[in-house]
Amino acid sequence: MDKIFRLRSNMEFKRVYSGGKNYWNRNLVLYVKKNNVGNTRVGYSITKKIGNSVVRNKIRRRMKEIYRLNFDSIRGNYDLIFIPKKNVVDISYKELESAMLHILKLAGVFISQSDSNG
């Protein structure tokens, strides 16, 4: 994923946290804020409460891959921050994928196949 599609600085994260809207489900929290950059950017915030670095990086890699595979179905001009909850450690890849797509639909930034056809 190119750098232009990622939230990178602490200030960018703080801007989304303070001015954005948050959505949640059993496994994730998602912060969403409209931006004027011209594309959707994403960030991942995984606390040490989740586990050691091996566990955190595994979760981050899974979330990045799910996002990458569904990138074309996400509306433009948003900043997104995904924050996994502690129980994400125990769920499968498919369950995490389902949770991420569900929360994106809740936030209204995911374009489902039925939206694009009609």
Side-chain angles (χ1 to χ4, degrees):
M1 182 97 13
D2 281 345
K3 289 181 181 179
I4 60 168
F5 298 117
R6 291 185 290 180
L7 291 173
R8 297 174 58 211
S9 73
N10 189 27
M11 194 169 136
E12 290 173 335
F13 275 82
K14 284 182 177 178
R15 190 177 302 126
V16 177
Y17 287 137
S18 65
K21 197 162 181 337
N22 62 338
Y23 302 88
W24 63 91
N25 60 22
R26 182 182 308 139
N27 301 310
L28 297 166
V29 176
L30 174 66
Y31 282 84
V32 179
K33 183 170 175 26
K34 196 89 165 128
N35 70 28
N36 296 321
V37 179
N39 53 37
T40 295
R41 301 181 301 178
V42 66
Y44 305 91
S45 178
I46 303 175
T47 66
K48 288 186 176 180
K49 292 178 186 175
I50 298 290
N52 63 20
S53 61
V54 175
V55 173
R56 292 193 311 268
N57 287 330
K58 178 182 176 184
I59 293 167
R60 184 180 294 113
R61 283 192 309 271
R62 285 180 169 187
M63 291 173 68
K64 282 182 171 183
E65 181 64 7
I66 293 165
Y67 183 82
R68 186 187 69 81
L69 292 173
N70 294 287
F71 180 72
D72 294 336
S73 299
I74 295 172
R75 296 184 197 279
N77 297 343
Y78 286 98
D79 287 339
L80 309 171
I81 299 176
F82 288 96
I83 305 170
K85 293 183 179 178
K86 195 171 176 94
N87 60 328
V88 166
V89 175
D90 301 323
I91 67 174
S92 69
Y93 178 87
K94 278 291 185 195
E95 289 173 303
L96 181 60
E97 181 179 35
S98 174
M100 282 183 71
L101 296 180
H102 173 256
I103 206 165
L104 286 167
K105 287 175 188 170
L106 276 179
V109 296
F110 189 77
I111 305 166
S112 64
Q113 295 298 335
S114 61
D115 290 348
S116 60
N117 291 341

